[in-house]
Amino acid sequence: MSIASSPGRRSVLIGAAAVAAGLSREVSARPATEGPWAVELFTSQGCNSCPPADAHLGRLSKRPDIVALAFHVDYWDYIGWRDPFASRETTERQRAYARTLKQRYVYTPEMVVEGIGHDTGRDRAPIEALLARAQARATRRATPDLSRSLGGPLSIKLDAFPLGGRVADVTLAIYDRRHTTPVKSGENQGRMIENFNTVRHIELVDRWDGTARSWTIPGARIGPTQGMAVLVQETDHGPMIGCNKLEPAYSG
C-alpha cells in the first residue's frame, strides 16, 4: 500500500478496487423539523494528527443537533500501535466515501459531514461551513423516530418521504460514548487518548423506498450504556436524507 502525506493530515492512497442508566420507562428521540445532522470522523489512535479532531468530535457529540460518530480505521495499525477499536469494516466505509466524494486518497483525521463534504476536523470553522451548506440544501428531512425501553428492542420508524423513485440506505450504528486509552507505542506513545462516540457495530438495516416503514432491532445487540444512531442516506454512501440518535445520559 502506497502512503502519502499532506499538511495536517495522514493519508493513504485508495486501492483500485436517552436510555439513561437505571431508567425503566421508555425513552425516544422524536423527529425534528430540522436536523439533526451527521458528522462522521475517521480516526486512528496510531495517528498523531488525530487527537485534536477526536476532541472536536467530543464537543460535537454533546450537541443535540449533531449525530457524531467516530469510525476507527485499521490502516495505521502497522506503524507501532494497534487501535483496539479499528476494523476493516470502518475502513471500507471511509473508502466508499472517498469514491463517492471523488477523493484521491483517504486520510486521518477526516470528518465527513452529511455525506456531502469533508475536512480534517481539527478546526471548527470548516466543519461549521459544511454544516451550513448541508442545512441550506435540505428542504425536508427523513428523520427517523427512535424509541427503546431499558434493555428492550430498538424501534425505528420512518414516515413516508418522497424519494422520487430512488432508494435509500437505512444504517444502524451502535457506539460507546467515551474511552480513555493509554497508548504504549507508536506515534502517540505515552499519551492518554480520549475517544468519543466510538462505533463498535454498524449494519445496513434495509433499503428503503420512501414508504412509511418500521423496523425492530433486538435489544441483545445493544449494550446498556451504548448509544444508537440511524443514518438515512442515498445508496452507496451518498448525501444524508436524515439521521437521529438515542443515547444514555452522559456528562464529561
Side-chain angles (χ1 to χ4, degrees):
M1 183 179 295
S2 299
I3 297 174
S5 298
S6 58
R9 62 191 183 190
R10 298 294 304 276
S11 314
V12 58
L13 295 177
I14 304 170
V19 185
L23 193 66
S24 60
R25 64 181 177 83
E26 183 183 77
V27 296
S28 63
R30 301 301 178 189
T33 54
E34 293 184 2
W37 314 97
V39 177
E40 301 173 61
L41 171 65
F42 295 92
T43 185
S44 171
Q45 290 184 351
C47 167
N48 63 9
S49 299
C50 285
D54 295 329
H56 187 186
L57 190 83
R59 292 188 291 271
L60 288 170
S61 73
K62 298 178 183 180
R63 288 175 47 173
D65 65 327
I66 299 293
V67 173
L69 299 171
F71 292 91
H72 288 235
V73 299
D74 65 358
Y75 49 80
W76 296 125
D77 284 358
Y78 78 96
I79 59 174
W81 177 255
R82 190 174 184 84
D83 190 322
F85 308 119
S87 72
R88 176 57 52 182
E89 187 176 26
T90 56
T91 298
E92 288 307 311
R93 183 170 179 84
Q94 185 184 27
R95 291 185 184 280
Y97 271 129
R99 290 190 293 269
T100 300
L101 296 173
K102 303 187 185 312
Q103 299 171 220
R104 291 182 52 246
Y105 48 74
V106 293
Y107 62 92
T108 55
E110 179 184 30
M111 277 188 184
V112 175
V113 177
E114 281 284 297
I116 63 169
H118 61 98
D119 192 79
T120 66
R122 292 159 59 89
D123 300 310
R124 178 178 179 274
I127 301 305
E128 292 301 322
L130 283 169
L131 286 167
R133 176 182 156 197
Q135 291 160 7
R137 68 183 290 276
T139 57
R140 184 178 172 189
R141 297 283 280 181
T143 305
D145 182 335
L146 311 180
S147 61
R148 187 190 184 206
S149 58
L150 183 65
L154 170 66
S155 173
I156 304 169
K157 296 180 181 179
L158 277 165
D159 292 335
F161 186 86
L163 289 178
R166 299 168 297 161
V167 292
D169 290 342
V170 179
T171 301
L172 169 69
I174 299 172
Y175 54 94
D176 297 340
R177 296 302 310 280
R178 185 171 183 173
H179 284 287
T180 302
T181 306
V183 177
K184 299 179 181 179
S185 59
E187 291 187 346
N188 287 316
Q189 183 175 5
R191 300 183 68 167
M192 294 290 288
I193 300 293
E194 284 197 297
N195 296 120
F196 303 88
N197 287 16
T198 302
V199 174
R200 306 306 303 277
H201 174 76
I202 185 167
E203 67 178 84
L204 177 65
V205 175
D206 206 353
R207 290 270 165 80
W208 180 50
D209 63 3
T211 58
R213 290 287 305 278
S214 63
W215 301 267
T216 300
I217 306 299
R221 296 189 197 175
I222 308 164
T225 62
Q226 288 184 307
M228 297 141 277
V230 173
L231 309 175
V232 184
Q233 64 188 124
E234 294 183 16
T235 53
D236 195 22
H237 302 80
M240 290 290 163
I241 300 168
C243 62
N244 213 346
K245 63 182 177 180
L246 188 62
E247 54 194 22
Y250 169 75
S251 62

